[in-house]
């Protein structure tokens, strides 16, 4: 075997990692300018990492089988639990994905529209008029309440506890995932110990909800995700364990909450600076295209990775040895003028009436690891935006763009997507 890796910087691993910590996007842009559409870097938590910004090579990465390349050893599973989508691999991943796909597609998906609209109107009822305020706290509450409703159904004391717990838990978990060095439990102190306490609280709440679901005489009539998981069976007839249910629910709650809320905050930030686009959003097709364009110019997650599991894997020009982490540079692909004409121009028209190329536009990842809730998130963003614009006018601004701010995994507008609204 002869490994063939792209060139990359030779500075110490810590120096390289600091660059990515300060700004992933700027660091990737600088490395692309020097080395081209592929480069090799060293990271603290993933080791040697080959980063790709060529759509053909990214497509090959996504098309690789799980036996060839699968989720890296260091991933969100380390904080979401061993039964989460991010941790399980191979046949186990396929089995659980099969179980969890139905609630987020087809007829069941459309049934969530009413829930999304109700939560949006409930949250926006208290919005101030005529004065700037960040919308991201509101979009966080909307998306949290929506995913709680979809996952657990009815209201109750446990859901109130989860509303208070999950934002803190998800925020801390996303930081621990990218900075595992701070995860150590220092005699009951420190971020790692705090996250452990959050997880114990979460597990206790989920245990009570599982017990209640299993004794619910109307369980067969419920269409929430928890009811489905409690009743689900693998092909061999075995049920999901409590731990598997708790880990997968946490994955759905975390993945279906922060990223969608952050994209909605970016949507407000972009629309206030593009009033011509704002005026056309009563058109359903153009509104959908606008959300696609927001995700292109402001991807909340800027990279997605696989780890080579076979002896060697050839992707385009490169031959990667076992253990190499290979990464699709989402932000670089979205800014590539060869893929998107005038890439730094915010132009939803480029997606009007056209589907995005899933090897060039990849905010939901790709391949067998593509986000299972992509259709749910797309519907949710569209309904939230439609509902807000039906009830309010959004005041344009000439202020400079909000700079990106890293929240660990996600990249958010630094001011939280400042808005000025007036009720219609």
């Amino acid at each position: 075997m002869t490994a063939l890796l792209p060139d990359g910087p030779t500075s110490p691993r810590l120096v390289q990692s600091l660059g990515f910590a300060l700004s992933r996007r700027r660091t990737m842009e600088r490395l692309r300018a020097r080395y081209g559409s592929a480069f090799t870097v060293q990271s603290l938590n993933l080791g040697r990492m080959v980063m790709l910004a060529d759509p053909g090579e990214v497509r090959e990465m996504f098309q690789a089988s799980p036996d060839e390349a699968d989720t890296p050893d260091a991933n969100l599973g380390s904080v979401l639990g061993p039964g989460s989508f991010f941790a399980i691999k191979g046949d186990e991943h396929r089995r659980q994905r099969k179980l969890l796909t139905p609630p987020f597609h087809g007829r069941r998906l459309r049934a969530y529209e009413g829930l999304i609209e109700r939560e949006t109107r409930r949250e926006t009822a208290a919005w101030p008029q005529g004065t700037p305020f960040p919308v991201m706290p509101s979009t966080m509450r909307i998306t949290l309440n929506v995913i709680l409703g979809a996952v657990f159904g009815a209201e109750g004391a446990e859901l109130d506890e989860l509303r208070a717990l999950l934002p803190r838990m998800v925020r801390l978990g996303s930081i621990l995932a990218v900075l595992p060095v701070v995860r150590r439990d220092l005699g009951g102190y420190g971020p790692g110990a705090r996250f452990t306490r959050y997880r114990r609280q979460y597990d206790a709440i989920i245990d009570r909800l599982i017990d209640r679901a299993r004794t619910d005489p109307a369980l067969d009539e419920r269409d929430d995700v928890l009811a489905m998981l409690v009743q689900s069976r693998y092909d061999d007839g075995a049920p999901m364990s409590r731990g598997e249910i708790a880990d997968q629910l946490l994955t759905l709650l975390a993945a279906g909450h922060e990223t969608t809320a952050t994209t909605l905050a970016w949507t407000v930030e972009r629309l206030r600076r593009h009033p011509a686009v704002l005026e056309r959003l009563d058109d359903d097709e153009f509104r959908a295209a606008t959300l696609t364009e927001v995700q292109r110019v402001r991807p909340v997650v800027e990279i997605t990775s696989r780890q080579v599991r076979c002896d060697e894997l050839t992707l385009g020009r490169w031959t990667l040895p076992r253990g190499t982490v290979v990464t699709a540079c989402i932000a670089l692909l979205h800014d590539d003028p060869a893929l998107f004409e005038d890439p730094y121009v915010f132009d939803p028209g480029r997606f009007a009436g056209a589907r995005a190329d899933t090897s060039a536009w990849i905010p939901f990842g790709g391949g067998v690891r593509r986000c299972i809730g992509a259709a749910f998130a797309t519907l949710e963003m569209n309904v939230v935006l439609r509902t807000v614009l039906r009830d309010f006018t959004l005041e344009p601004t000439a202020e400079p763009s909000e700079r990106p701010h890293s929240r660990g995994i996600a990249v958010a507008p630094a001011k939280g997507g400042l808005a000025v609204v007036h009720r219609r």
Side-chain angles (χ1 to χ4, degrees), residues 84-106:
S84 78
F85 270 130
F86 294 98
I88 57 178
K89 300 179 177 69
D91 290 340
E92 183 64 18
H93 176 257
R94 284 190 289 272
R95 289 201 308 161
Q96 291 209 24
R97 193 175 183 94
K98 183 179 178 181
L99 290 179
L100 282 161
T101 295
F104 299 108
H105 292 80

Side-chain angles (χ1 to χ4, degrees), residues 1-6 39-43 45-52 61 64 68-74 304-315 318-328:
M1 181 190 73
T2 303
L4 182 59
L5 306 177
F39 39 88
T40 302
V41 300
Q42 300 291 334
S43 71
N45 60 331
L46 292 173
R48 182 172 61 190
M49 187 161 58
V50 171
M51 308 195 74
L52 304 177
M61 174 187 128
E68 295 173 314
D70 206 346
T71 186
D73 292 334
T304 183
S305 302
R306 301 287 190 272
Q307 189 163 9
V308 178
R309 301 294 176 186
C310 54
D311 288 339
E312 64 176 35
L313 178 64
T314 298
L315 297 177
W318 318 111
T319 302
L320 312 179
R322 182 187 295 273
T324 303
V325 173
V326 56
T327 295

Side-chain angles (χ1 to χ4, degrees), residues 223-278:
D223 59 4
D224 56 274
V225 177
L226 174 60
M228 183 204 71
L229 292 184
V230 167
Q231 298 175 88
S232 66
R233 296 294 182 271
Y234 293 116
D235 292 340
D236 62 2
M240 292 181 72
S241 70
R242 283 176 179 265
E244 288 174 331
I245 292 175
D247 288 351
Q248 290 295 22
L249 291 180
L250 182 57
T251 302
L252 295 174
L253 292 168
H257 162 44
E258 183 174 15
T259 52
T260 304
T262 306
T263 299
L264 284 166
W266 275 123
T267 300
V268 168
E269 191 273 346
R270 290 290 81 200
L271 289 176
R272 291 195 68 210
R273 289 155 179 83
H274 296 86
V277 173
L278 189 57

